[in-house]
Amino acid sequence: MEAVMDIKIIKTEKSRRPEVSLDNLPFGKVFTDHMLEVHYKDGQWQQPVIKPFQPITILPSNLTLHYGQSIFEGIKAYRTIDGDSYIFRPFDNFHRFNTSAARMMMPPLPEELFIEGMRRLVALDLNWIPQRPDHSLYIRPFMFATDETIGVKPSSTYSFMILLSPTGPYYAKPMRIFVEEKYSRAAPGGIGFAKAAGNYASSLLAFAEAQAKGYDQVLWTDAVEHKYVQEMGTMNVFFVIGNTAITPNLEGSILDGVTRSSVITLLQEQGLTVEERPLHINEIVAAYKAGTLREAFGTGTAATISPIKELAYDGLEMRMDTDKWTVSPEVKRRLDAIREGRSPDIYQWMFPIDA
Ligand code: COI
């Protein structure tokens, strides 16, 4: 056991890494040797510990199990062609994490605990970062209530943890998407902008029904009229119409995606006009019928940039030939080049692990 700064580090006695192949990994099934855990009580965060990946113990009366006071983030670490390792835009995720925490009445994380804890954890499990194209080390910070009571109230104690999971692409192929008009993901005044566990739980039924019809995901529409597109199950969404890329504006029910923000920057660099505004489904249908709908794609940490080859709305199957696309493949190429160290990181998105 060694103490480094204020983080206690307990190393595993035997790494599982030699038994694990990092090729063609499914998303979220394999975890590295270590995890970070820290508890909040008496109004303060306690001593963080990095220790071997292991079960946690909670009582059945744990508040999270009953009322879902739980938030999370998704971040990725990459290794460049020079062999250096970086985390992509962790400060943006840190700020979003605390935005989610405030909405869910949870305590904010100090920046040093979030960033330095993550950096040290990744540094310890560095040999788990895959090197294949479209592979990375997925970082999952999360916080959940730990009071042992079934009274409906904000917890007074919490756990914050970070897990690491080497992963390949979330969606390996272009997606078939169903425009959802029956169920809602988020309503004005709700928790749509927060990365709260419950947002994902409430999406599962719509997702399952779409999957049963042969689709990969749903495209959510607004909760009031079911006409304005919002985001997809695990991603923000972009439509390229003519020389303009349109993505729904962040009006409170949409997640402020870090990949979304990076893609907006790169699209503008590529000479496209980017509009963040309400987007009516009829505008997409009209563009499709007029032949001006060039591309549609999702963006997310897990999903990166995932093309939509088919969009189903009200009996109309809008099909697109993704092989002919130029805009989103170029965005992906440029983003990958920054992440792999083949292009200069002019926006300082890459946070070095050995800082
Ligand atoms: C991410 O893209 O990091 C997500 O959190 C989406 C999903 C895997 C829940």
Side-chain angles (χ1 to χ4, degrees):
M1 203 187 299
E2 57 175 295
V4 185
M5 289 175 70
D6 56 345
I7 302 176
K8 192 196 302 182
I9 299 183
I10 307 167
K11 289 187 183 161
T12 184
E13 283 173 11
K14 188 169 180 298
S15 171
R16 286 178 282 107
R17 178 65 189 83
E19 294 140 38
V20 178
S21 162
L22 300 187
D23 293 343
N24 300 314
L25 287 165
F27 179 82
K29 294 219 194 284
V30 174
F31 294 92
T32 66
D33 286 324
H34 299 93
M35 65 185 194
L36 179 139
E37 184 173 17
V38 55
H39 303 291
Y40 179 88
K41 66 172 186 190
D42 303 327
Q44 11 194 351
W45 290 100
Q46 310 292 309
Q47 162 92 76
V49 184
I50 290 176
K51 58 186 180 182
F53 184 85
Q54 60 192 271
I56 53 173
T57 307
I58 49 170
L59 288 180
S61 53
N62 171 288
L63 206 54
T64 304
L65 299 181
H66 300 271
Y67 308 122
Q69 205 188 2
S70 172
I71 60 171
F72 69 98
E73 272 302 325
I75 307 174
K76 278 180 173 171
Y78 297 87
R79 205 191 303 273
T80 64
I81 48 169
D82 296 331
D84 298 322
S85 303
Y86 293 85
I87 304 174
F88 189 73
R89 301 188 71 172
F91 292 91
D92 297 78
N93 293 86
F94 164 69
H95 293 301
R96 189 173 67 183
F97 191 76
N98 277 348
T99 301
S100 302
R103 177 63 181 85
M104 300 301 285
M105 288 205 72
M106 301 168 94
L109 248 287
E111 181 178 292
E112 197 191 358
L113 176 52
F114 189 95
I115 299 288
E116 187 60 11
M118 181 183 309
R119 195 187 67 75
R120 283 186 190 270
L121 179 64
V122 176
L124 193 60
D125 284 344
L126 212 56
N127 63 344
W128 288 82
I129 303 182
Q131 292 224 265
R132 288 167 59 100
D134 292 324
H135 285 57
S136 58
L137 185 68
Y138 185 80
I139 304 171
R140 170 53 61 88
F142 61 109
M143 184 191 344
F144 58 97
T146 54
D147 273 9
E148 290 152 0
T149 169
I150 54 167
V152 181
K153 64 168 188 64
S155 188
S156 62
T157 62
Y158 294 88
S159 285
F160 171 72
M161 301 185 68
I162 306 179
L163 310 180
L164 305 178
S165 175
T167 187
Y170 197 88
Y171 296 101
K173 291 188 299 199
M175 302 174 295
R176 298 184 69 219
I177 299 293
F178 181 78
V179 179
E180 179 59 56
E181 295 175 278
K182 181 168 66 161
Y183 300 112
S184 300
R185 174 184 174 274
I191 59 169
F193 66 91
K195 209 152 171 71
N199 281 334
Y200 296 81
S202 75
S203 75
L204 297 176
L205 181 59
F207 177 41
E209 289 185 10
Q211 266 191 323
K213 291 183 217 143
Y215 298 98
D216 298 298
Q217 259 299 349
V218 297
L219 172 58
W220 294 104
T221 51
D222 69 283
V224 181
E225 295 177 64
H226 285 299
K227 291 295 172 208
Y228 291 91
V229 301
Q230 295 205 314
E231 63 174 80
M232 291 190 286
T234 55
M235 295 161 276
N236 294 112
V237 69
F238 285 77
F239 293 87
V240 181
I241 299 178
N243 208 33
T244 302
I246 308 162
T247 189
N249 53 316
L250 305 171
E251 41 52 83
S253 3
I254 294 175
L255 198 73
D256 183 1
V258 177
T259 311
R260 173 186 182 278
S261 144
S262 311
V263 165
I264 288 174
T265 301
L266 295 177
L267 284 168
Q268 284 165 338
E269 265 189 9
Q270 283 170 224
L272 273 91
T273 303
V274 180
E275 291 178 0
E276 295 177 68
R277 62 166 171 84
L279 178 56
H280 198 288
I281 186 71
N282 287 352
E283 187 178 342
I284 298 168
V285 172
Y288 176 75
K289 289 185 174 164
T292 53
L293 177 61
R294 288 169 67 190
E295 302 186 17
F297 55 94
T299 64
T301 299
T304 63
I305 295 172
S306 297
I308 299 172
K309 70 170 181 187
E310 224 173 287
L311 192 63
Y313 169 65
D314 198 22
L316 175 68
E317 293 276 352
M318 293 177 259
R319 296 202 175 89
M320 287 168 276
D321 185 355
T322 57
D323 289 340
K324 299 207 173 108
W325 290 5
T326 53
V327 176
S328 52
E330 177 64 6
V331 175
K332 182 171 182 310
R333 193 193 64 71
R334 290 151 69 97
L335 195 54
D336 287 346
I338 295 170
R339 287 167 167 170
E340 290 165 17
R342 291 181 284 103
S343 282
D345 175 26
I346 56 172
Y347 302 108
Q348 297 181 321
W349 285 340
M350 304 286 277
F351 176 68
I353 310 263
D354 56 1

